[in-house]
């Protein structure tokens, strides 16, 4: 298998910037900034997948890269932006845990993910095997974001970012999932965002806010 | 051969003292251009220093000897730091005595003296500024250390000169950890030198000031020394950054006069870009609330640690 050192370096760089963007997402307070960061994460995913496709000579991966570009860089951020504008929810209030603590917890998660990925990446043979740890870390950090945020919109973005991490893990561990599964997931995501968008309006109508903590006190009437 | 190294050493220190106000003036000029103001002349810092040196110093009645010696200590530590940092040549005989960790110690010494002197008079502002400065300092230092550790891991040495030697002879490295370290370093530079996201060097607004609050009681030659020392601190930080992350053109060990001249020209060009970059960052960003400063520094620390982790995980391609 051809392993051009420049490509490997570039791939490492993309993986590292993916991790950096995950942390930026954890630290940001504005929802619009969060969506922009999500779009950037998608763009990095697109570049890295294209690079892997080029390096491993897999036509299938080109398709999934294109799918990433259309869905995660263009469509989903656009839908989210429109949703935000319609809902008038540009501002995210303070997260549950303050940001420096969240970042430190995130750091611990990264160390955990790297430790977890070490034996796996020793077994793997792909050129991207070093980035498995980063993919795991991105997934865990998105989890953390979903846990520490109150608003429904940020939690959905966390969910989408987690999917980004999963996709990245798939490309770095096994050169991507089968095309059928990937198409299915892409469609699921699109539908999920549509349905969640409808939910947002319902939640806001019911409680006059998107804060999910109101849902905790639901009871029958 | 040894003799010429001492000449380089001496020349570099002189260069740092002479160029530091110019660098500050250049940043001020770039900022003025970006904000559509009429720019002050480049020589403005020199004129101010000249004016201050010729004035008579006024001291508070209860100022102790510490208050009077602190400016000299500040200036001395900055000169020492300039002697260690390879900005033009790496063949510095003095740099053997101290590595990058000692360099951080030097900056810490300066900070402690400045804070003590600020509290010496017993005014409210001085104490306030000293407290804020110590807070920023104690948050910025670990981040700075982590940036250095990144470089140590990659280039296998804690001595800045050896490190830069190794780096300059392997110019084709794009290691992700270097980029993380560079981002963290820029954040530390802005915080440590009281630049805009943390402190505004150009105002005297008492609610927000840090550095200015500490030097309010100083006048004349003491103030001139402090101003010179703080512009040298900025210059030193810029030179550390340039030698760690953009060492191209630097005259490595055993270089000739010609390559030293090239290195000097390269340094001037790099400093010009660096100053413009700092001015740009300051123009596009707003000052953070002081309570957000810990968050900013935590980010810097985190990015530096991430750089270390990424370096360890993504396969260590250690040079040296």
């Amino acid at each position: 298998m051809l392993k051009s050192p420049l490509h490997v370096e570039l791939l490492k760089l993309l993986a590292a910037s993916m991790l950096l963007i995950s942390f930026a997402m954890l630290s940001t307070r504005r929802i619009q900034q969060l969506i922009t960061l999500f779009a950037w994460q998608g763009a990095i995913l697109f570049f890295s997948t294209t690079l892997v496709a080029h390096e491993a000579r897999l036509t299938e991966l080109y398709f999934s890269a294109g799918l990433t570009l259309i869905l995660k860089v263009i469509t989903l951020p656009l839908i989210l932006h429109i949703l935000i504008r319609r809902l008038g929810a540009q501002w995210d209030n303070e997260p549950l845990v303050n940001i420096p603590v969240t970042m430190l917890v995130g750091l611990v998660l990264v160390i955990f993910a790297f430790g977890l990925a070490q034996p796996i990446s020793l077994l793997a043979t792909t050129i991207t095997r070093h980035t498995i740890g980063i993919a795991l870390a991105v997934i865990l950090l998105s989890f953390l974001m979903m846990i520490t945020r109150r608003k429904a919109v940020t939690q959905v973005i966390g969910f989408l970012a987690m999917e980004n991490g999963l996709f990245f893990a798939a490309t770095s561990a096994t050169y991507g999932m089968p095309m059928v599964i990937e198409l299915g997931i892409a469609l699921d995501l699109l539908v999920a965002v549509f349905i969640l968008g409808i939910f947002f309006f319902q939640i806001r109508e019911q409680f006059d806010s998107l804060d999910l903590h109101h849902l905790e006190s639901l009871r029958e009437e | 051969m040894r003799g010429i190294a001492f000449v380089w050493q001496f020349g570099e220190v002189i260069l740092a003292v002479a160029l530091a106000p110019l660098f500050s003036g250049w940043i001020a000029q770039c900022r003025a251009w970006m904000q559509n103001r009429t720019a002050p002349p480049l020589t403005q810092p020199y004129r101010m220093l000249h004016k201050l040196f010729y004035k008579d110093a006024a001291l508070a009645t209860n100022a102790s000897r510490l208050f009077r010696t602190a400016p000299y200590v500040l200036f001395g530590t900055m000169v020492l730091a300039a002697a260690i940092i390879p900005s033009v040549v790496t063949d510095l005989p003095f740099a053997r005595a101290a590595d990058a960790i000692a360099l951080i110690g030097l900056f810490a010494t300066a900070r402690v003296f400045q804070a003590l002197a600020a509290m010496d008079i017993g005014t409210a502002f001085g104490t306030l500024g000293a407290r804020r400065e110590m807070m920023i300092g104690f948050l910025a230092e670990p981040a700075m250390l982590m940036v250095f550790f990144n470089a140590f891991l990659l280039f296998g040495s804690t001595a800045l000169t050896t490190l830069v030697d190794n780096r300059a002879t392997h110019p084709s490295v794009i290691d992700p950890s270097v980029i993380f370290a560079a981002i963290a370093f820029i954040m530390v530079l802005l915080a440590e030198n009281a630049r805009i996201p943390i402190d505004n060097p150009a105002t005297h607004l008492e609610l927000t000031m840090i550095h200015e609050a500490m030097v309010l009681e100083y006048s004349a030659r003491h103030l001139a020394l402090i101003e010179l020392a703080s512009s040298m601190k900025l210059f030193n930080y810029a030179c550390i950054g340039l030698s760690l992350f953009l060492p191209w053109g630097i005259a490595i060990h055993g270089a000739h006069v010609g390559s030293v001249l090239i290195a000097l020209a390269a340094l001037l060009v790099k400093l010009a870009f660096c100053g413009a970059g700092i001015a740009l960052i300051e123009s596009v960003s707003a000052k953070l609330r002081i309570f957000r400063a810990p968050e900013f520094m935590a980010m810097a620390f985190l990015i530096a640690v991430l750089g270390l982790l990424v370096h360890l995980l993504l396969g260590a391609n250690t040079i040296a």
Side-chain angles (χ1 to χ4, degrees):
Chain A
M1 195 172 293
L2 266 178
K3 289 184 185 182
S4 134
L6 183 70
H7 285 178
V8 175
E9 287 287 320
L10 207 59
L11 211 57
K12 284 180 185 176
L13 189 64
L14 286 174
S17 38
M18 186 121 174
L19 191 60
L20 196 60
I21 285 182
S22 295
F23 269 102
M25 283 170 99
L26 261 187
S27 75
T28 180
R29 284 194 169 86
R30 280 183 219 184
I31 294 183
Q32 275 168 329
Q33 226 170 31
L34 205 60
I35 296 171
T36 315
L37 284 171
F38 170 71
W40 273 108
Q41 203 178 36
I44 287 171
L45 202 58
F46 162 70
F47 282 125
S48 69
T49 315
T50 317
L51 203 65
V52 172
H54 175 74
E55 196 70 4
R57 297 192 165 64
L58 288 169
T59 357
E60 249 188 20
L61 269 184
Y62 280 118
F63 286 114
S64 43
L67 208 60
T68 309
L69 183 67
I70 294 166
L71 191 68
K72 286 173 193 156
V73 186
I74 301 166
T75 317
L76 285 182
L78 209 64
I79 293 175
L80 285 170
H81 269 302
I82 292 169
L83 264 180
I84 293 295
R85 205 169 312 135
R86 289 267 180 81
L87 287 165
Q90 272 90 343
W91 291 92
D92 187 15
N93 55 359
E94 293 284 311
L96 286 174
V97 188
N98 74 350
I99 283 176
V101 175
T102 318
M103 305 294 261
L104 289 179
V105 174
L107 201 60
V108 174
L109 282 182
V110 172
I111 295 172
F112 174 72
F114 280 14
L116 200 66
Q118 203 92 60
I120 306 172
S121 55
L122 284 179
L123 289 174
T125 51
T126 54
I127 64 158
T128 47
R129 63 201 174 101
H130 291 302
T131 54
I132 295 173
I134 286 186
L136 263 179
V138 170
I139 296 169
L140 289 180
L141 288 174
S142 312
F143 254 132
L144 185 64
M145 197 173 95
M146 286 176 76
I147 292 167
T148 56
R149 298 303 177 101
R150 277 184 195 158
K151 291 284 181 74
V153 186
T154 23
Q155 293 194 353
V156 168
I157 297 171
F159 165 70
L160 293 172
M162 199 164 75
E163 210 281 327
N164 271 353
L166 280 171
F167 188 83
F168 193 59
T171 38
S172 49
T174 60
Y175 287 146
M177 295 170 269
M179 206 60 214
V180 185
I181 298 178
E182 226 153 80
L183 274 174
I185 291 176
L187 203 64
D188 276 355
L189 266 189
L190 205 59
V191 172
V193 169
F194 272 119
I195 293 175
L196 286 168
I198 296 164
F199 271 165
F200 291 160
F201 284 102
Q202 291 294 329
I203 292 170
R204 197 185 54 160
E205 205 145 290
Q206 209 70 38
F207 300 111
D208 286 331
S209 116
L210 279 172
D211 202 330
L212 286 186
H213 111 113
H214 292 297
L215 287 177
E216 287 164 14
S217 56
L218 276 184
R219 58 193 125 68
E220 276 183 71
E221 276 168 36
Chain B
M1 195 57 216
R2 284 293 75 206
I4 197 119
F6 279 102
V7 170
W8 297 144
Q9 175 74 80
F10 195 63
E12 215 188 70
V13 173
I14 296 289
L15 185 79
V17 177
L19 271 190
L22 188 69
F23 185 55
S24 306
W26 168 245
I27 294 176
Q29 199 162 41
C30 286
R31 270 181 77 179
W33 283 335
M34 283 176 207
Q35 293 161 1
N36 267 338
R37 288 187 284 124
T38 312
L42 267 179
T43 51
Q44 187 60 40
Y46 293 107
R47 288 188 199 176
M48 200 189 66
L49 289 177
H50 180 262
K51 184 185 77 180
L52 287 175
F53 269 120
Y54 277 89
K55 281 192 168 182
D56 276 334
L59 279 176
T61 42
N62 48 357
S64 74
R65 195 170 294 148
L66 177 78
F67 189 76
R68 270 174 291 154
T69 45
Y72 300 98
V73 175
L74 272 181
F75 181 67
T77 47
M78 288 310 143
V79 168
L80 264 178
I84 300 170
I85 300 161
S87 53
V88 182
V89 288
T90 59
D91 192 6
L92 300 173
F94 201 81
R96 302 238 178 90
D99 59 4
I101 296 172
L103 189 67
I104 292 177
L106 269 179
F107 286 125
T109 313
R111 184 180 306 121
V112 166
F113 266 90
Q114 194 168 21
L116 283 179
M119 290 191 284
D120 186 59
I121 302 276
T123 58
F125 272 148
T127 319
L128 175 146
R131 272 174 49 197
R132 289 179 174 174
E133 169 78 7
M134 290 321 276
M135 181 186 81
I136 302 284
F138 117 88
L139 290 164
E141 246 166 46
M144 187 71 183
L145 270 174
M146 281 299 156
V147 170
F148 276 127
F149 286 159
N150 248 319
F152 298 163
L153 261 186
L154 202 53
F155 301 107
S157 169
T158 61
L160 268 177
T161 47
T162 325
L163 202 148
V164 174
D165 261 343
N166 287 339
R167 177 110 174 85
T169 44
H170 295 85
S172 65
V173 173
I174 33 163
D175 199 281
S177 69
V178 173
I179 292 164
F180 279 82
I183 296 172
F185 182 80
I186 291 169
M187 292 170 86
V188 173
L189 183 145
L190 292 173
E192 280 268 32
N193 290 290
R195 310 302 300 189
I196 239 171
I198 300 294
D199 185 13
N200 191 349
T203 66
H204 282 82
L205 191 66
E206 62 270 17
L207 274 177
T208 61
M209 60 190 179
I210 299 172
H211 178 256
E212 285 303 319
M214 287 193 294
V215 301
L216 269 182
E217 299 291 330
Y218 278 106
S219 61
R221 59 177 187 279
H222 297 134
L223 183 61
L225 273 178
I226 286 180
E227 292 289 335
L228 187 56
S230 63
S231 63
M232 276 187 74
K233 189 176 179 188
L234 182 59
F235 182 84
N236 282 340
Y237 266 89
C239 282
I240 295 173
L242 291 177
S243 58
L244 279 185
F245 305 115
L246 303 166
W248 300 294
I250 209 163
I252 57 168
H253 215 79
H256 311 289
V257 181
S259 57
V260 172
L261 284 178
I262 291 171
L264 189 62
L267 178 74
L268 288 178
V269 171
K270 282 188 283 187
L271 278 178
F273 277 106
C274 174
I278 292 175
L280 183 68
I281 294 172
E282 287 194 83
S283 297
V284 298
S285 56
K287 207 188 89 60
L288 292 173
R289 288 167 69 208
I290 190 103
F291 304 110
R292 285 282 173 83
E295 201 173 293
F296 183 82
M297 297 322 298
M299 273 292 275
F301 176 72
L302 181 106
I303 291 172
V305 174
L306 267 186
L308 273 181
L309 286 178
V310 162
H311 173 79
L312 290 177
L313 184 86
L314 289 181
N317 41 354
T318 311
I319 297 153

